[in-house]
Amino acid sequence: MKKISHPTITFLAITTLALTITGWCWNQLSPFLSSIFVFDIKEYFKTSFYGIILCTIWLYTTRKRHKETIKLFHAKKERMNQGYQSLQKELKQKEIQIEQLQYKLTCQQSDINKKATLQKELRNLNAQRDILLQEIIQHSDTRT
């Protein structure tokens, strides 16, 4: 069984209510108005029918546009998730490199020149890691 959406139910309820009120008003006012104006009941219902058709077409196009917007939103969210995952992968690689460099630093205490270059590399990698962390925070689900 197909589920009826909330806007469709609302539209049907409003249309039914409007037609009911219109019919009641017609029954109350027809003796008075028939002496003043000449009404063609067929023309009245034809106009009402066209109004219902126009409202239905408007609802259909609005719903279609809404579905397209949702589809684009999900595609954008998927692209952001993929970018977030690739940034996390890069972050893990940088952290592994940092751990390796820290291990090398502790093992090679005798060579001061190597230690200085390794510390420089370590600072660079830490800076890169901080940049990646900031990008991950900017693209995270809680931030968006």
Side-chain angles (χ1 to χ4, degrees):
M1 182 174 203
K2 187 175 180 181
K3 184 178 178 183
I4 299 176
S5 66
H6 179 54
T8 306
I9 293 172
T10 306
F11 171 72
L12 290 175
I14 291 172
T15 305
T16 305
L17 182 64
L19 289 175
T20 304
I21 292 171
T22 306
W24 180 81
C25 290
W26 178 259
N27 286 336
Q28 297 296 319
L29 296 175
S30 71
F32 174 71
L33 293 176
S34 63
S35 63
I36 299 173
F37 300 107
V38 177
F39 280 105
D40 186 11
I41 193 73
K42 289 180 183 177
E43 195 67 32
Y44 170 76
F45 284 116
K46 189 168 103 177
T47 305
S48 298
F49 179 71
Y50 289 145
I52 291 170
I53 287 177
L54 286 175
C55 287
T56 305
I57 291 170
W58 177 78
L59 274 176
Y60 174 75
T61 55
T62 303
R63 186 170 183 238
K64 188 176 180 182
R65 199 173 324 125
H66 180 69
K67 282 185 176 181
E68 289 172 0
T69 304
I70 288 174
K71 193 182 289 184
L72 289 174
F73 173 74
H74 286 301
K76 184 178 178 181
K77 185 178 177 182
E78 185 64 32
R79 283 193 310 270
M80 287 178 67
N81 283 339
Q82 288 174 353
Y84 178 73
Q85 290 172 356
S86 68
L87 287 173
Q88 277 186 329
K89 191 182 287 186
E90 277 186 59
L91 177 66
K92 286 180 183 178
Q93 290 174 352
K94 296 295 181 186
E95 286 176 349
I96 290 171
Q97 287 178 351
I98 288 172
E99 288 175 8
Q100 290 172 351
L101 287 175
Q102 285 175 342
Y103 178 74
K104 285 181 182 178
L105 276 173
T106 57
C107 291
Q108 298 178 358
Q109 292 178 357
S110 61
D111 192 6
I112 297 174
N113 290 337
K114 275 190 170 182
K115 187 175 182 179
T117 57
L118 286 175
Q119 284 179 341
K120 189 176 183 180
E121 281 186 46
L122 180 62
R123 280 193 299 272
N124 288 339
L125 286 173
N126 278 328
Q128 289 177 359
R129 183 188 67 164
D130 291 340
I131 291 171
L132 284 172
L133 277 172
Q134 289 174 356
E135 284 185 272
I136 284 176
I137 289 172
Q138 287 177 352
H139 296 300
S140 71
D141 289 337
T142 53
R143 176 74 185 252
T144 57

